[in-house]
Amino acid sequence: MKLGVLVSGNGTNLQALLDAEARGELEPGKIAVVISNKSGVPALGRAETAGVPTQIVDHRGRDRIAFEDELLAVLAAHQVEAVVLAGFMRVLTAHFCDRFPLGIINTHPSLLPAFPGAGAPAQAIAHGAKVTGVTIHFVDATLDGGPIIAQVAVPIEPGDDAARLQERIQGIEHRLLPSIVRSLAAGELSCEGRLVTRADARAE
Ligand code: GAR
């Protein structure tokens, strides 16, 4: 199953996926293209080093549908069947999400529905939360919304700052995300009691 990975920044989760693929651990998933909405981000260099095609699709200066149409065109050109949001910091509309029913997953650094949006580790500390974590979920057209696939709790230690907490959270994300992506590609995930099949994930 060909996968498209959407990124906006550092790309450590992308790196975890690339490393898993290099070890044969994404099979039958294969990363066909990496798309960033920002130029010059480290994630693009990581993909290039791994020999994966990259594309920049800038969201600025146009409406969301035009942005998403270009994303969809790039994904279609690479025969992508399922999409992974790996630090992609834009909300997608139904125009995009409806093209990949149950075929888009996102990783987020909190126990959703707590602390959606940017800076989730800092939000958790600011709220005095004692536990936060990682959520991997199917994506709908809301901010970090959609059916939850997996969650892992991460305790917040006294004296944690956002950077230290984020590092511990990301250590878990980097192990969890590749295994979920492999399960998605293998058709092993279920949603509301229904197995997610390749047909569910395939773009029309
Ligand atoms: C990750 O921790 C991811 O969970 C988060 O951005 C980080 C990107 O790091 N995503 C969100 O906050 C989505 N709302 P990375 O670029 O090093 O993978």
Side-chain angles (χ1 to χ4, degrees):
M1 178 188 275
K2 291 189 177 173
L3 306 164
V5 183
L6 272 51
V7 296
S8 299
N10 195 7
T12 62
N13 281 286
L14 168 66
Q15 189 67 58
L17 292 170
L18 293 167
D19 292 347
E21 184 175 357
R23 294 191 300 267
E25 291 172 9
L26 277 196
E27 282 278 327
K30 178 176 165 39
I31 302 172
V33 64
V34 170
I35 305 176
S36 175
N37 64 310
K38 290 187 175 175
S39 60
V41 293
L44 290 167
R46 295 175 190 273
E48 282 156 17
T49 301
V52 174
T54 62
Q55 185 88 34
I56 296 160
V57 178
D58 197 331
H59 63 279
R60 292 171 304 178
R62 54 186 169 160
D63 67 30
R64 288 207 215 188
I65 300 301
F67 169 60
E68 292 182 356
D69 277 340
E70 190 178 344
L71 290 177
L72 289 167
V74 174
L75 294 168
H78 290 271
Q79 290 103 40
V80 164
E81 293 178 83
V83 177
V84 182
L85 309 185
F88 180 69
M89 302 307 276
R90 308 293 305 170
V91 178
L92 296 163
T93 74
H95 177 70
F96 185 96
C97 296
D98 290 352
R99 295 286 297 273
F100 294 93
L102 301 182
I104 313 174
I105 65 173
N106 180 43
T107 180
H108 183 75
S110 76
L111 295 177
L112 290 170
F115 311 129
Q123 291 185 56
I125 290 172
H127 270 76
K130 304 299 176 231
V131 177
T132 185
V134 175
T135 302
I136 314 270
H137 62 99
F138 292 113
V139 169
D140 66 18
T142 62
L143 177 63
D144 293 316
I148 289 170
I149 300 165
Q151 291 186 307
V152 175
V154 176
I156 300 175
E157 313 283 0
D160 261 351
D161 59 16
R164 208 170 86 167
L165 178 58
Q166 172 151 327
E167 197 177 313
R168 289 208 308 287
I169 288 173
Q170 288 199 331
I172 293 182
E173 279 188 304
H174 297 164
R175 289 195 297 279
L176 190 60
L177 183 62
S179 78
I180 302 277
V181 169
R182 190 209 63 79
S183 297
L184 175 71
E188 293 171 3
L189 292 185
S190 64
C191 183
E192 288 159 2
R194 188 161 68 91
L195 206 60
V196 176
T197 65
R198 191 165 184 151
D200 288 321
R202 185 180 299 130
E204 294 299 326

